[in-house]
Amino acid sequence: MLEIKCPWCGPRAQTEFSYAGDATLTRPSLDTATETEWYEHVYLRGNPRGPHDELWHHAAGCRRFVKVRRDVTTHEIIATAGPHEHLGGGGK
Amino acid sequence: MADTSPMQSALNGIAQPGDFGADQPAGPGVTITERQGLQILHVAGDIRDAEFPSQVRHAIGLPLPMSAGETRASQGTRVLWLGPDRWLVATEDALPALSDAAAVNDVGQGRLVLRLTGPRVRDILAKGCPLDLHASAFPTGHCAESLIGHIGVTIDCTADETFDLYVNRSYAAFFWEWLTRAAMEYGYRVLPAG
Ligand SMILES: [Zn+2]
């Protein structure tokens, strides 16, 4: 099991969290984005090896979203931050 | 505001007073009492809005706790930190009137509140809770929202080896079964609700 450091609650068990997807995506413009851009935004994902930024929801705790930089090969959690904050450390 | 007339316990026909489980010469490992008649408010607001904390403090007579797991208490009233913008107010007194500065929900009729006290209470809860419940990590006056037996529970350590648990009412029967099974090996005593 992972231990995720919530920026508000401190280290908590993974079971208190729900995975909430890729944190590197930017929503296309509602006014100008093409159908292809929406298709890519909604459906297409990279499958990187190594550090990756993702969102987790502290559903059974403070109910805040948390940004997590996790190495998807080793499960090491490199850094966590609030959803709008910048993560330190390497990787993307 | 909501109807605050006495309502039927969520444990009616499920819990009965008495001693159960293993026979312990030194007494039961835990004593369980349902707390009835509590007024419970879920309060949300933005602490950057200077009016919000001061108005709440004025209404309930206690400052809002600002750090994770912190609680504030006076005779009959407890205020629990649930998140950076959410608090739980539980009081034996009349419901405080809170102004528009806060988003307030009366959740009292939606919660089963159990008070657990005894020498094995931490061992029992630890069977189904991912938190570190050792007294050094979860001392008196500390609270947390977490999972016990896979369901969301608000946990409040009100005194030495004493915990108040706030469980969503619809989970009452399930939670009672989980709790009493977990307590079986230490022996448990159920007191009449009060
Ligand atoms: Zn949290």
Side-chain angles (χ1 to χ4, degrees):
Chain A
M1 192 195 291
L2 301 176
E3 185 179 74
I4 300 172
K5 189 182 172 204
C6 171
W8 293 278
C9 304
R12 294 294 195 99
Q14 178 191 343
T15 50
E16 291 186 1
F17 294 82
S18 302
Y19 181 72
D22 191 330
T24 65
L25 300 173
T26 308
R27 186 182 287 262
S29 161
L30 283 174
D31 302 319
T32 58
T34 63
E35 217 169 287
T36 305
E37 285 171 313
W38 277 111
Y39 172 76
E40 289 175 354
H41 173 74
V42 174
Y43 294 110
L44 299 188
R45 296 289 179 270
N47 188 16
R49 181 178 177 179
H52 188 247
D53 292 358
E54 50 200 24
L55 288 168
W56 290 74
H57 183 219
H58 196 187
C62 66
R63 302 184 203 167
R64 286 292 182 114
F65 283 89
V66 180
K67 202 188 271 184
V68 177
R69 179 163 297 157
R70 179 174 65 101
D71 189 313
V72 297
T73 313
T74 64
H75 287 308
E76 180 195 358
I77 291 178
I78 298 147
T80 60
H84 304 297
E85 291 171 359
H86 187 71
L87 282 164
K92 180 182 180 275
Chain B
M1 290 302 274
D3 175 16
T4 53
S5 60
M7 68 185 300
Q8 191 170 307
S9 164
L11 293 175
N12 254 13
I14 296 167
Q16 49 184 330
D19 285 358
F20 304 91
D23 209 7
Q24 299 293 339
V30 69
T31 298
I32 308 168
T33 314
E34 183 188 354
R35 297 193 71 196
Q36 289 185 331
L38 275 183
Q39 312 289 342
I40 308 172
L41 297 179
H42 182 275
V43 178
D46 189 345
I47 54 171
R48 291 169 301 182
D49 168 9
E51 266 190 41
F52 163 63
S54 67
Q55 290 198 0
V56 174
R57 180 185 189 141
H58 184 72
I60 62 179
L62 288 167
L64 287 174
M66 292 296 176
S67 54
E70 193 187 352
T71 64
R72 300 280 183 155
S74 62
Q75 187 65 38
T77 302
R78 295 188 67 80
V79 185
L80 279 54
W81 184 96
L82 301 181
D85 50 8
R86 303 188 301 114
W87 293 264
L88 196 78
V89 178
T91 179
E92 295 168 359
D93 305 329
L95 275 179
L98 286 168
S99 73
D100 295 342
V104 181
N105 282 300
D106 178 354
V107 297
Q109 304 204 352
R111 298 287 186 280
L112 165 72
V113 187
L114 297 176
R115 174 158 290 180
L116 275 55
T117 186
R120 305 311 294 266
V121 62
R122 293 175 192 271
D123 300 311
I124 292 162
L125 298 181
K127 290 185 182 184
C129 180
L131 295 176
D132 183 352
L133 292 169
H134 190 271
S136 61
F138 208 116
T140 299
H142 192 77
C143 74
E145 281 201 288
S146 186
L147 301 168
I148 301 179
H150 305 287
I151 66 169
V153 177
T154 304
I155 306 164
D156 179 16
C157 186
T158 59
D160 196 28
E161 305 307 292
T162 303
F163 288 82
D164 281 0
L165 305 181
Y166 298 79
V167 183
N168 284 331
R169 184 182 165 90
S170 55
Y171 287 104
F174 169 83
F175 188 74
W176 185 257
E177 185 159 327
W178 181 90
L179 178 64
T180 52
R181 283 181 188 213
M184 194 77 82
E185 64 169 308
Y186 305 118
Y188 65 94
R189 175 171 295 163
V190 181
L191 295 180

